Amino acid sequence: MNPTACILIIGNEILSGRTQDANIQFLAQNLGKLGINLQEIRVIPDQEALIVHTVNETRKKFSHVITTGGIGPTHDDITAPSIAKAFGVPWEIHEESFKILEAHFRPGEFNTPRQRMATLPRGAIPIRNPISAAPGFSMDNVHVLAGVPEIMRAMFLELAPHLSKGAPIVSRTWYAFGMSEGQIAEKLEEIQSAFPTLDIGSYPFKLQDQRKGVALVVKGHNENQVKNAAEQICQLIADFGLTPHEGEPTAKEASKI
């Protein structure tokens, strides 16, 4: 079986609505490319007890736990010390990370708050940060990344080669204008029943020019099964007298309704 993953988004600003998460899509897509099945996403506040409990629960359940947020220099950045508590180890200065950060800042700027970013759980393996030098880190199967999207993405690319992987997820999409979900639901269910190991979904869309339709997506690890199911989906659309189009319905313009 392929490895599994859970994403923990840590931050009061997400739960309050002040900040919109911009990391889930990137992580989901890239985990899929690595053959890692993303099975759960949780959003939790900056509360030590809840972070400790959630990390200890999920690291036993999934192959990988990826956290985002809460590793900056301010008082409310408590992810790193909470991870230390979850693993029962001290939260202490990591000498190599300290030296990297000290060299990154100009003399006199590497103050006490910034030194927090070089303070890691004992035994943590730093994840390089090519953007702003402050590292993420891994503790066993828990991988702690920044919340800032640009930095998170750079950290993940550094981390990716070290993750246990599986067969990549293969995806095919067909769509048609003028198609409704109720129209094709019964036949689509028959295709799903014929391919129980695949993930088949229907997604309504509306373009800026007001055209509407449904995109039918099939995903799985077996390329031949995905290909066969996609061919049946294409035929399903044609059987309703509609024109099937392969690919996403101009993804940049489409929005779900």
Side-chain angles (χ1 to χ4, degrees):
M1 294 180 63
N2 278 30
T4 59
C6 173
I7 297 173
L8 300 182
I9 302 166
I10 301 173
N12 294 336
E13 68 277 10
I14 302 294
L15 289 166
S16 70
R18 183 185 184 281
T19 301
Q20 181 177 358
D21 179 82
N23 294 325
I24 290 175
Q25 185 179 43
F26 174 90
L27 288 172
Q29 291 176 344
N30 282 275
L31 288 169
K33 292 176 182 177
L34 297 173
I36 300 172
N37 294 332
L38 178 58
Q39 295 190 336
E40 193 169 311
I41 299 170
R42 302 191 192 185
V43 184
I44 58 176
D46 297 301
Q47 295 178 7
E48 182 185 81
L50 186 55
I51 295 172
V52 170
H53 170 79
T54 306
V55 165
N56 280 333
E57 177 188 354
T58 55
R59 70 188 177 99
K60 297 173 184 177
K61 184 177 178 182
F62 301 99
S63 308
H64 301 290
V65 177
I66 297 175
T67 79
T68 67
I71 57 172
T74 59
H75 71 282
D76 57 345
D77 288 314
I78 63 169
T79 297
S82 298
I83 298 291
K85 189 167 185 177
F87 279 84
V89 299
W91 181 54
E92 60 190 14
I93 290 292
H94 185 269
E95 294 297 336
E96 180 184 356
S97 298
F98 189 93
K99 291 176 182 177
I100 290 172
L101 279 166
E102 188 175 33
H104 176 77
F105 290 100
R106 289 181 293 187
E109 290 187 351
F110 190 42
N111 56 22
T112 300
R114 285 171 171 159
Q115 291 173 19
R116 282 175 57 92
M117 298 187 292
T119 311
L120 307 180
R122 180 179 294 176
I125 299 173
I127 299 172
R128 180 174 172 267
N129 173 2
I131 305 297
S132 59
F137 63 88
S138 294
M139 287 288 289
D140 193 21
N141 64 332
V142 179
H143 313 288
V144 180
L145 308 181
V148 178
E150 180 186 15
I151 299 175
M152 185 282 299
R153 292 169 187 168
M155 285 183 176
F156 182 83
L157 295 178
E158 295 285 337
L159 170 68
H162 307 287
L163 297 176
S164 58
K165 304 170 182 65
I169 296 174
V170 182
S171 176
R172 296 281 295 276
T173 301
W174 286 92
Y175 70 93
F177 294 108
M179 185 166 63
S180 68
E181 287 190 294
Q183 181 182 15
I184 50 107
E186 186 175 351
K187 294 296 182 182
L188 191 63
E189 185 176 1
E190 291 177 5
I191 297 175
Q192 178 68 85
S193 297
F195 297 93
T197 63
L198 300 182
D199 178 12
I200 300 175
S202 62
Y203 305 97
F205 64 86
K206 181 179 180 180
L207 301 185
Q208 289 184 345
D209 62 9
Q210 303 306 307
R211 287 182 298 167
K212 299 179 182 179
V214 176
L216 303 178
V217 181
V218 53
K219 297 180 180 179
H221 298 288
N222 187 306
E223 188 171 1
N224 286 332
Q225 286 191 6
V226 170
K227 178 177 178 291
N228 292 337
E231 289 174 351
Q232 292 190 26
I233 285 173
C234 177
Q235 187 60 51
L236 178 155
I237 295 172
D239 288 345
F240 281 97
L242 300 168
T243 302
H245 302 274
E246 188 169 13
E248 293 293 335
T250 56
K252 291 184 178 180
E253 297 179 350
S255 60
K256 292 181 181 179
I257 56 174

